[in-house]
Amino acid sequence: PEELFVGKGALHAIVQHPLIGEIDLFNAHLGSVNFIPKINNFNLKQTLRRKRQSTQLTDFILKTKGTKNVFVGLDLNAHEFFWNPQKGEYQKDIHGDEYKMMTKDLALVDSYRLMNPSEDGMTFWPKNSYQNKKADPGARLDYIFHSLNGAEILPDWSKIIFDTPILSENQRFLLSDHYGVLSHYKLNNS
């Protein structure tokens, strides 16, 4: 009942690559968290639920991955940085808990951040046609993580997509409440 649009979950697939063998692919969508302007912070109950989901996802990946080439496409619904309600901004020197689960606990690399270290890369913008909530802070909530240690596939580039409205029946709209992330990978030896 608290969720917007769709149910949440995680999928795992193993893909056979002709040159390097098996690749673990994960795709997940974690619970959304509402921003409450009156307290300049995010809903605590929803935040705790998303942290539990992040822990479950981390455990799921650890238990099911079987290769050194791991990719996780993820609507984390959590910013990479810690939100400081007193300052009303993200602290860019402290990573958020959910992001740390991916980068520290699973030792995965954020492909967008690796390829675009100085760009904010927002994938959620409250002024888009789905949200229209000007009080919410924009954030980067969507990611493509990959393994690095011993990985045979590395990112070549990464960018934000679906951030331009499309025209249909004389109306402009975005495809989703979030923009997408597209990362291009290449074999490490090429």
Side-chain angles (χ1 to χ4, degrees):
E2 295 178 33
E3 289 299 334
L4 303 173
F5 305 119
V6 296
K8 312 301 185 213
L11 299 171
H12 175 224
I14 299 171
V15 175
Q16 185 70 32
H17 188 279
L19 298 177
I20 61 172
E22 292 183 343
I23 300 171
D24 280 294
L25 301 176
F26 294 87
N27 187 0
H29 188 176
L30 303 187
S32 60
V33 177
N34 294 325
F35 185 77
I36 304 170
K38 285 182 182 179
I39 62 170
N40 199 36
N41 209 346
F42 294 91
N43 179 297
L44 179 60
K45 181 180 174 185
Q46 294 171 344
T47 299
L48 293 173
R49 182 193 65 228
R50 187 189 58 216
K51 285 184 182 185
R52 281 192 309 274
Q53 292 172 347
S54 297
T55 300
Q56 291 169 340
L57 177 62
T58 300
D59 292 344
F60 175 66
I61 292 171
L62 285 170
K63 289 176 184 172
T64 59
K65 73 181 179 90
T67 72
K68 62 184 173 182
N69 292 299
V70 176
F71 294 86
V72 180
L74 179 57
D75 179 346
L76 189 59
N77 267 317
H79 197 283
E80 68 185 298
F81 299 116
F82 173 75
W83 174 256
N84 184 329
Q86 288 78 28
K87 293 183 178 181
E89 63 185 30
Y90 291 103
Q91 283 190 227
K92 295 195 176 189
D93 58 337
I94 302 174
H95 283 109
D97 292 339
E98 296 89 339
Y99 187 86
K100 284 191 287 192
M101 288 182 199
M102 297 297 119
T103 59
K104 303 292 184 221
D105 298 353
L106 294 174
L108 298 174
V109 177
D110 174 354
S111 64
Y112 184 85
R113 182 56 58 224
L114 179 67
M115 303 310 295
N116 304 281
S118 61
E119 295 180 24
D120 64 22
M122 289 195 189
T123 60
F124 175 81
W125 191 245
K127 296 176 186 172
N128 92 21
S129 56
Y130 277 88
Q131 297 302 319
N132 203 19
K133 297 177 185 174
K134 293 175 177 46
D136 286 10
R140 191 160 75 89
L141 307 178
D142 303 273
Y143 306 89
I144 299 174
F145 293 103
H146 63 274
S147 53
L148 186 60
N149 295 336
E152 298 172 278
I153 304 173
L154 296 173
D156 190 27
W157 52 260
S158 184
K159 66 181 181 178
I160 302 301
I161 59 172
F162 304 134
D163 57 344
T164 304
I166 63 169
L167 181 63
S168 177
E169 298 180 13
N170 294 323
Q171 291 187 334
R172 290 186 148 326
F173 62 93
L174 293 165
L175 295 174
S176 171
D177 62 327
H178 291 207
Y179 306 147
V181 179
L182 177 63
S183 295
H184 182 267
Y185 287 84
K186 63 181 179 178
L187 291 176
N188 196 9
N189 60 2
S190 58

